[in-house]
Amino acid sequence: MTRSGNRRADRVLPALRHVPMIIWLWLLWILLWGATSAVVLVGGLLVAVGVVLSFPLPAVLPGAVPEPLRIGRLLIHVLTDLVKSGFTVAWQVVRHGRRVSCGIIEVPLRVDSDLLIAAVAGFTTMSPGSVVVEIDRRRKRLYVHALPVRDRRDIAHRRAEVQAMERWIVLAVGHHRGVEDPGPDAARPDDARDDPRGRRP
């Protein structure tokens, strides 16, 4: 490689290390606005880039290599989930009213990064019918209040939805070093510790 090529690489690589922070700030901007209009998307991206350039910080996810295509797929997945969950919650309210069933579900995670766990919690809470009520950082667990939850099949389904969101986020940011085995509890989708009536023993 020539000297000019080396200089170019020396300038590009440090800049790429800040891409995860730009993406995180951009997604946070979208979550705060609660909208996905062109003004919010473009404005949020410009604000995120401006903040990172004005206040440079160490890389938040060392070794991460964001993949634009998978980031786009993540956004499509989030938008699809918003629409689907919104219809589900609306139907449950119309059909059952105040008698709609709910529960608090324990969800084991594979990621071991504060930023990624916060991202999973944020995207989960953004989905209608789901609210993260507790984060157990030490055990890598989310406790999600979800509806509808009528039986163990619903518990397994809602847990799988959160874990699917986790996989989408990990793939989008290209960070696999912080992914670890969630332990034997993750293999028990019908864990008896989940109470469909919304109580934990």
Side-chain angles (χ1 to χ4, degrees):
M1 183 180 293
T2 63
R3 288 185 177 179
S4 61
N6 287 330
R7 293 196 194 98
R8 191 178 301 112
D10 290 340
R11 289 193 300 267
V12 171
L13 290 178
L16 289 177
R17 295 193 186 102
H18 296 290
V19 171
M21 174 60 81
I22 294 174
I23 295 173
W24 169 245
L25 292 175
W26 184 43
L27 294 177
L28 183 61
W29 176 275
I30 295 172
L31 289 174
L32 290 175
W33 278 95
T36 54
S37 65
V39 174
V40 171
L41 293 176
V42 175
L45 184 58
L46 293 176
V47 169
V49 172
V51 169
V52 171
L53 292 179
S54 301
F55 307 98
L57 295 171
V60 293
L61 287 175
V65 182
E67 302 186 24
L69 183 59
R70 284 178 170 169
I71 292 173
R73 290 177 178 174
L74 169 64
L75 294 177
I76 293 174
H77 175 76
V78 170
L79 293 175
T80 303
D81 182 64
L82 285 174
V83 174
K84 184 176 67 174
S85 298
F87 275 114
T88 299
V89 172
W91 171 245
Q92 290 296 318
V93 171
V94 170
R95 184 178 180 185
H96 301 288
R98 295 183 178 180
R99 299 190 306 275
V100 62
S101 59
C102 60
I104 295 179
I105 303 170
E106 181 187 61
V107 183
L109 300 178
R110 295 178 61 87
V111 295
D112 192 23
S113 162
D114 291 339
L115 182 62
L116 294 180
I117 290 175
V120 176
F123 278 112
T124 299
T125 297
M126 187 172 63
S127 177
S130 300
V131 177
V132 175
V133 296
E134 182 181 343
I135 300 176
D136 188 336
R137 178 64 183 88
R138 182 180 62 82
R139 297 175 59 237
K140 294 185 297 184
R141 297 288 190 271
L142 295 183
Y143 292 92
V144 182
H145 183 275
L147 65 90
V149 177
R150 296 175 295 269
D151 50 30
R152 295 187 183 279
R153 181 177 298 179
D154 285 339
I155 292 174
H157 177 67
R158 299 313 294 264
R159 180 182 284 122
E161 286 183 336
V162 177
Q163 291 173 333
M165 179 63 70
E166 177 191 28
R167 288 192 296 272
W168 278 102
I169 292 173
V170 170
L171 290 173
V173 301
H175 183 71
H176 304 285
R177 202 166 64 186
V179 179
E180 298 180 358
D181 190 338
D185 288 342
R188 298 163 57 190
D190 57 345
D191 197 329
R193 289 173 299 179
D194 294 312
D195 187 339
R197 291 168 294 181
R199 298 199 302 264
R200 273 190 292 149

